[in-house]
């Protein structure tokens, strides 16, 4: 009985110890140890194992050998014995043809019968469009529920090789040693072979069997430069929009496939992995698609059919109410939406290009298809790479999208709301499953439970708004098709985030309370400001950098008016008022410059210059005592905010910051030539996308505003001054 070891299966353990490696058994004419990546076959005479490539036996040929003789044994025992063909309608062609067994998919009899059948025309369901009409705006407005056919590439943004591009050209650009998955159509079985061997087979005048290549992904080859995927597939793709460059998981490459099929190649009914949508373009030749709608009933039938033991003997198109036939000729592009069940027949030799992509329009269906794959125990090789990981990335980004729409008083489209609901359910189930299946795909920098909680909160906000709108209150604006793009590039998202931050600053500044009634409001407000900004302690008190400005301006503009109001309610001496304002300025990072003549004395604010200074020595004495007490209390409480921040998310917030961001139009003000510090004001520049940000503690490479200007020894840090203000307010010892 012939025994083979497929290249993709492991049959032994490679020893790591040097001595064990030396003692490992050696095989084949090359006398090498077992290699899990190489196909091997056993000789039925000497029982030694041989690499298929060493004895010129392809993996797909091995199934045709009944008794194998290695090169040494065939000298004495003759050549290998081949299996006898007894039928043309079964995957195992050695079965006797007694008429009792049904036709199986992919066999020559099956293909002939399929070509003779009639089907409803796909013109009933296909959407005929021109390339420039297939836009994200159109699909977000009209939906992506039916297949789209585009007769010409013009306007699609699709770049392809010329129609003269051949199978030999593929070998030249990809490399002959590339291992490709090849389907033996008559057996509907997968095997591996080198691309050059497939090319040799393709150009044979007589092909002994029908072989089909449908999974050659070439993003990592020179041929990738020849193909640019359609604009719609790039703009909507989750991988292109949401996959961060610094992800622990390798980036999925599923956007560039080359399909090379010979006449009568057939792929049975399937749903593309992860419920991905797919684009196909026939460069030359012809393909026929058999399409079935992904209705609830059809999906249930499909799952039952896929798990049945006689799947290959039942044509799934017969189990549903309608199966549509779509002929895709040379030069035509087809877009198939999420979940569509389809089979493909290659009616003549054909080369096609295609790609898969996940998107926001059909999130629920994508998740349903993924869970179906899990129930069917689909091998990882045939599933979307790191599907769960990208869903976590998408959830994080959609949370920001929902927040932005809510702040803009803009109602998100129904497909997004329903998609997020389905995503929340899936994420919860995946977290529960980790208890028994520890193979987690949750990215390291994502806090899953918190993310789910915040997404749920946003959905609750939407439902409350909808209920209040139905009750007669002012409803949210409907999400326009072009007002707020829901799938943005990295730069677009960064720019939008910057505008959102600026809007928050303006909103807070205009709505800050001006005359609070007591000091507790000051403390509460300060905490709310810092919490909203998610700002951790600044480094040390130093000149205000470009990045600190929005935070400092917000604190200064919103909290200092509170102090003014408190001072009106509780009259104080000018000195203690100065101390309070000085503390707030320090907290905000707005340091006053030290004048040269005061370098040897205690620092005083710029407003206590001779023109503003009171001649009353008693007041000066009080001022010095207050400052001394303030310094003493700061020193005593310097660990207060450290203990507060240790239990907070300040470090996490800082991990998302980039203090070295440069400003586009800086405006620097130097009060006088003799000052030690200058503070700069700049426009709000967009933050970097998380995937582009540097390490949290990376120092600025070149920052002229801070170069050579270190904080003076003994000066209190911002968090210490803030701790002083908060603690004094609680103890009613604030110097007012």
């Amino acid at each position: 009985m012939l025994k083979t070891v497929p290249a993709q299966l492991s049959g032994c353990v490679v020893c790591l110890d040097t001595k064990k490696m030396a003692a490992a058994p050696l095989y084949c004419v090359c006398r090498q140890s077992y290699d899990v990546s190489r196909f091997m076959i056993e000789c039925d005479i000497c029982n030694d194992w041989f690499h298929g490539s060493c004895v010129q036996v392809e993996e797909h040929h091995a199934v045709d050998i009944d008794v194998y003789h290695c090169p040494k044994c065939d000298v004495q025992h003759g050549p290998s014995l081949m299996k006898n063909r007894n039928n043309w309608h079964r995957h195992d062609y050695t079965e006797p043809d007694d008429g009792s067994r049904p036709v199986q998919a992919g066999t020559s009899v099956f293909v002939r019968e399929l070509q003779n059948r009639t089907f409803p025309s796909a013109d009933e369901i296909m959407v005929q469009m021109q390339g420039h009409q297939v836009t994200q705006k159109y699909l977000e407005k009209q939906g992506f529920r039916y297949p789209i056919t585009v007769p010409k590439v013009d306007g699609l943004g699709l770049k392809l090789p010329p129609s003269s591009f051949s199978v030999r050209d593929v070998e030249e650009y990809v490399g002959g040693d590339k291992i490709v998955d090849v389907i033996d159509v008559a057996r509907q079985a997968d095997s591996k072979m080198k691309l050059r061997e497939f090319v040799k087979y393709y150009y044979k005048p007589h092909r002994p069997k029908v072989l089909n290549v449908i999974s050659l992904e070439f993003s990592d080859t020179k041929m990738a430069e020849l193909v640019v995927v359609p604009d719609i597939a790039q703009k909507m793709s989750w991988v292109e929009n949401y996959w961060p460059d610094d992800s622990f998981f390798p980036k999925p490459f599923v956007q560039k496939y080359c399909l090379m099929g010979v006449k009568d190649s057939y792929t049975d009914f399937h749903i593309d992995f992860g419920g991905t949508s797919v684009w196909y373009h026939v460069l030359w030749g012809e393909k026929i698609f058999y399409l079935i709608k992904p209705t609830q009933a059809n999906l249930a039938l499909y799952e039952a059919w896929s798990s049945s033991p006689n799947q290959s003997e039942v044509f799934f198109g017969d189990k549903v109410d309608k199966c549509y036939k779509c002929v895709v000729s040379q030069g035509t592009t087809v877009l198939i939406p999420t979940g569509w069940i389809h089979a493909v027949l290659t009616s003549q030799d054909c080369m096609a290009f295609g790609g898969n992509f996940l998107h926001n329009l059909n999130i629920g269906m994508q998740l349903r298809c993924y869970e179906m794959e899990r129930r069917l125990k689909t091998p990882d090789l045939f599933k979307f790479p790191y599907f769960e990981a990208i869903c976590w990335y998408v959830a994080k980004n959609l949370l920001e999208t929902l927040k932005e729409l809510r702040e803009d008083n803009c109602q998100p489209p129904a497909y997004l709301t329903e998609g997020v609901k389905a995503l929340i359910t899936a994420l919860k189930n995946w977290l529960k499953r980790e208890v028994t299946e520890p193979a987690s795909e949750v990215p390291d920098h994502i806090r899953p439970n918190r993310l789910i909680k915040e997404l749920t909160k946003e959905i609750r906000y939407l439902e409350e708004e909808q209920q209040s709108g139905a009750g007669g209150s002012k409803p949210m604006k409907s999400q326009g098709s072009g007002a707020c793009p829901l799938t943005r590039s990295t730069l677009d998202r960064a720019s939008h985030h910057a505008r959102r931050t600026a809007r928050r600053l303006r909103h807070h500044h205009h709505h800050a309370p001006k005359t609070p009634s007591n000091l507790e409001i000051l403390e509460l407000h300060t905490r709310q400001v810092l919490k909203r900004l998610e700002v951790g302690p600044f480094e040390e008190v130093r000149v205000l950098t470009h990045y600190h400005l929005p935070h400092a301006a917000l604190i200064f503009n919103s909290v200092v008016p509170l102090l003014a109001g408190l001072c009106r309610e509780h009259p104080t001496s000018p000195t203690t008022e100065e101390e309070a304002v000085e503390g707030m300025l320090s907290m905000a990072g707005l340091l006053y410059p030290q004048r040269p003549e005061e370098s040897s004395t205690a620092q005083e604010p710029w407003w206590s210059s001779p023109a503003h200074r009171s001649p009353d020595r008693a007041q000066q004495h009080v001022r010095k005592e207050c400052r001394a007490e303030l310094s003493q209390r700061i020193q005593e409480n310097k660990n207060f905010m450290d203990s507060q921040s240790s239990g907070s998310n300040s470090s996490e917030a800082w991990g998302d910051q980039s203090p070295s961001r440069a400003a586009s139009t800086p405006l620097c003000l130097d009060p006088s030539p003799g000052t030690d510090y200058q503070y700069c004001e700049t426009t709000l520049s967009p933050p970097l996308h998380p995937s582009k940000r540097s390490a949290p503690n990376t120092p600025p490479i070149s920052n002229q505003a801070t170069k050579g200007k270190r904080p003076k020894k003994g000066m209190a840090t911002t968090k210490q001054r803030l701790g002083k203000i908060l603690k004094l307010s609680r103890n009613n010892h604030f110097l007012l």
Side-chain angles (χ1 to χ4, degrees), residues 512-573:
K514 297 182 179 180
T515 56
S517 60
N518 51 52
L519 291 173
E520 282 73 19
I521 295 181
L522 170 63
E523 176 181 352
L524 177 62
H525 186 70
T526 304
R527 287 182 180 276
Q528 289 175 344
V529 171
L530 294 178
K531 183 178 181 181
R532 189 178 300 113
L533 292 171
E534 294 184 355
V535 63
F538 293 154
E539 299 172 57
E540 289 190 3
V541 178
R542 60 170 62 185
V543 64
L544 182 64
T545 63
H546 300 316
Y547 179 75
H548 293 153
L549 175 67
H551 300 166
L554 175 54
I555 296 171
F556 183 82
N557 292 334
S558 60
V559 180
V560 170
L562 285 176
L563 278 176
L566 288 170
C567 292
R568 286 193 294 272
E569 286 188 11
H570 308 280
T572 62
S573 67

Side-chain angles (χ1 to χ4, degrees), residues 443-554:
D444 291 338
H445 66 281
I446 285 180
R447 300 171 62 181
N449 288 302
R450 180 177 179 180
L451 177 56
I452 292 172
K453 182 178 179 181
E454 292 184 353
L455 274 174
T456 304
K457 187 185 300 182
E458 289 299 323
I459 294 298
R460 187 167 61 249
Y461 286 151
L462 287 172
E463 292 174 346
E464 291 173 354
E465 288 289 343
Q466 292 170 355
Q467 292 175 1
S468 63
S473 302
K474 182 180 179 181
M476 297 177 70
K477 294 181 293 185
S478 176
Q479 167 64 35
S481 59
C484 306
L486 299 177
T487 305
R488 301 186 178 91
S489 65
T490 299
L491 182 59
D492 290 339
R493 290 197 302 273
S495 177
H496 189 85
H497 179 72
R499 293 193 298 271
R500 176 173 171 236
T501 304
R503 183 168 60 250
R504 283 182 170 180
L505 293 177
R506 293 193 300 271
H507 174 80
H508 181 80
H509 174 63
H510 291 151
H511 293 81
K514 297 182 179 180
T515 56
S517 60
N518 51 52
L519 291 173
E520 282 73 19
I521 295 181
L522 170 63
E523 176 181 352
L524 177 62
H525 186 70
T526 304
R527 287 182 180 276
Q528 289 175 344
V529 171
L530 294 178
K531 183 178 181 181
R532 189 178 300 113
L533 292 171
E534 294 184 355
V535 63
F538 293 154
E539 299 172 57
E540 289 190 3
V541 178
R542 60 170 62 185
V543 64
L544 182 64
T545 63
H546 300 316
Y547 179 75
H548 293 153
L549 175 67
H551 300 166
L554 175 54

Side-chain angles (χ1 to χ4, degrees), residues 107-328:
T107 60
S108 58
V109 174
F110 170 88
V111 171
R112 185 169 61 251
E113 291 180 353
L114 180 62
Q115 290 174 326
N116 292 330
R117 295 182 59 167
T118 58
F119 295 87
S121 172
D123 292 341
E124 298 180 24
I125 57 168
M126 300 292 289
V127 181
Q128 300 283 342
M129 299 181 68
Q130 299 299 315
H132 68 275
Q133 298 174 322
V134 187
T135 64
Q136 180 180 345
K137 179 179 178 181
Y138 172 86
L139 294 182
E140 287 179 350
K141 183 178 180 180
Q142 302 295 333
F144 186 24
R145 296 182 297 274
Y146 290 92
I148 297 173
T149 179
V150 183
K152 296 182 180 180
V153 298
D154 299 340
L156 273 176
L158 176 60
K159 177 185 175 183
L160 295 162
S163 58
S164 58
F165 197 74
S166 67
V167 173
R168 284 197 178 95
D169 292 326
V170 174
E171 178 186 3
E172 179 182 347
Y173 278 91
V174 174
D177 290 329
K178 176 81 170 180
I179 302 296
V180 295
D181 291 302
V182 178
I183 297 176
D184 183 340
V185 175
R187 295 190 305 115
Q188 290 291 286
D190 183 77
S191 62
K192 295 181 181 296
M193 63 191 302
K194 290 185 177 181
L195 180 57
R196 69 164 56 92
E197 298 302 324
F198 176 80
V199 174
K200 291 179 182 178
Y201 151 83
Y202 185 88
Y203 286 105
K204 284 183 178 179
H206 173 70
R207 299 164 181 157
K209 57 180 62 178
V210 179
L211 299 180
N212 193 18
V213 173
I214 61 173
S215 56
L216 172 56
E217 217 290 335
F218 57 90
S219 293
D220 60 343
T221 71
K222 293 189 300 182
M223 198 164 76
E225 302 174 0
L226 304 181
V227 177
V228 176
V229 305
D231 288 341
I232 191 65
Q234 291 191 60
K235 292 180 179 178
M236 294 180 62
S237 167
W238 275 3
V239 173
E240 297 301 319
N241 284 281
Y242 301 134
W243 192 274
D245 294 340
D246 60 353
S247 173
F248 169 79
F249 305 105
K251 183 177 181 179
F253 289 106
V254 295
Q255 275 272 42
K256 293 184 178 181
Y257 287 99
C258 179
L259 299 86
M260 296 176 288
V262 302
K263 184 178 183 298
D264 293 341
S265 293
Y266 175 78
T267 304
D268 210 358
F269 286 97
H270 64 282
I271 298 174
D272 281 337
F273 50 43
T276 50
S277 299
V278 61
W279 65 272
Y280 284 105
H281 178 88
V282 175
L283 189 68
W284 44 262
E286 183 181 84
K287 284 186 178 290
I288 300 175
F289 285 77
Y290 300 90
L291 302 164
I292 298 174
K293 291 181 182 179
T295 63
Q296 299 293 332
N298 288 345
L299 289 173
L301 289 171
Y302 171 78
E303 184 169 0
W305 171 78
S306 297
S307 57
S308 63
N310 64 334
Q311 173 188 4
S312 64
E313 298 174 351
V314 177
F315 183 71
F316 182 68
D318 293 336
K319 299 181 70 66
V320 298
D321 56 349
K322 274 194 175 183
C323 176
Y324 301 92
K325 179 179 178 180
C326 175
V327 179
V328 184

Side-chain angles (χ1 to χ4, degrees), residues 304-361:
W305 171 78
S306 297
S307 57
S308 63
N310 64 334
Q311 173 188 4
S312 64
E313 298 174 351
V314 177
F315 183 71
F316 182 68
D318 293 336
K319 299 181 70 66
V320 298
D321 56 349
K322 274 194 175 183
C323 176
Y324 301 92
K325 179 179 178 180
C326 175
V327 179
V328 184
S329 56
Q330 178 174 329
T332 303
T333 305
V334 174
L335 295 163
I336 301 178
T338 304
W340 275 73
I341 307 163
H342 58 283
V344 185
L345 173 67
T346 304
S347 51
Q348 54 185 271
D349 289 358
C350 177
M351 177 181 291
F353 291 92
N356 299 74
F357 59 101
L358 297 164
H359 54 81
N360 290 336
L361 299 184

Side-chain angles (χ1 to χ4, degrees), residues 455-712:
L455 274 174
T456 304
K457 187 185 300 182
E458 289 299 323
I459 294 298
R460 187 167 61 249
Y461 286 151
L462 287 172
E463 292 174 346
E464 291 173 354
E465 288 289 343
Q466 292 170 355
Q467 292 175 1
S468 63
S473 302
K474 182 180 179 181
M476 297 177 70
K477 294 181 293 185
S478 176
Q479 167 64 35
S481 59
C484 306
L486 299 177
T487 305
R488 301 186 178 91
S489 65
T490 299
L491 182 59
D492 290 339
R493 290 197 302 273
S495 177
H496 189 85
H497 179 72
R499 293 193 298 271
R500 176 173 171 236
T501 304
R503 183 168 60 250
R504 283 182 170 180
L505 293 177
R506 293 193 300 271
H507 174 80
H508 181 80
H509 174 63
H510 291 151
H511 293 81
K514 297 182 179 180
T515 56
S517 60
N518 51 52
L519 291 173
E520 282 73 19
I521 295 181
L522 170 63
E523 176 181 352
L524 177 62
H525 186 70
T526 304
R527 287 182 180 276
Q528 289 175 344
V529 171
L530 294 178
K531 183 178 181 181
R532 189 178 300 113
L533 292 171
E534 294 184 355
V535 63
F538 293 154
E539 299 172 57
E540 289 190 3
V541 178
R542 60 170 62 185
V543 64
L544 182 64
T545 63
H546 300 316
Y547 179 75
H548 293 153
L549 175 67
H551 300 166
L554 175 54
I555 296 171
F556 183 82
N557 292 334
S558 60
V559 180
V560 170
L562 285 176
L563 278 176
L566 288 170
C567 292
R568 286 193 294 272
E569 286 188 11
H570 308 280
T572 62
S573 67
T575 304
T576 53
E577 180 179 340
E578 292 169 7
E579 294 293 345
V581 177
E582 177 185 357
M584 297 308 298
L585 287 173
S586 298
M587 182 182 70
L590 294 172
L591 291 184
Y592 52 85
Q594 181 186 16
R595 298 185 180 279
E597 62 269 22
E598 296 175 339
S599 59
S600 61
T601 62
Q603 294 183 354
E604 293 184 351
W606 52 265
W607 60 79
S608 57
S609 61
H612 299 82
R613 204 173 295 162
S614 170
D616 190 344
R617 293 187 177 182
Q619 288 187 1
Q620 294 179 4
H621 179 70
V622 172
R623 182 187 303 121
K624 291 179 180 179
E625 287 185 349
C626 291
R627 184 175 291 109
E629 181 180 354
L630 180 62
S631 300
Q632 181 180 355
R633 289 185 180 274
I634 288 174
Q635 184 66 27
E636 292 173 352
N637 295 287
K638 64 182 180 180
N639 294 326
F640 173 77
M641 287 305 293
D642 288 330
S643 63
Q644 293 291 323
S645 61
S646 63
S648 67
N649 300 324
S650 59
S651 61
E652 183 178 349
W654 273 94
D656 289 338
Q657 313 289 352
S658 179
S660 60
R661 289 286 294 165
S664 57
T665 55
L667 174 61
C668 298
L669 304 176
D670 191 346
S672 65
T675 57
D676 291 337
Y677 299 96
Q678 63 176 3
Y679 47 97
C680 299
E681 182 171 341
T682 178
T683 56
L684 188 63
S685 54
L688 288 175
H689 184 268
S691 65
K692 304 295 184 182
R693 292 173 185 154
S694 56
N697 297 322
T698 303
I701 297 176
S702 177
N703 190 342
Q704 297 300 324
T706 60
K707 190 174 182 180
K709 294 174 170 49
R710 304 302 302 166
K712 295 184 181 298

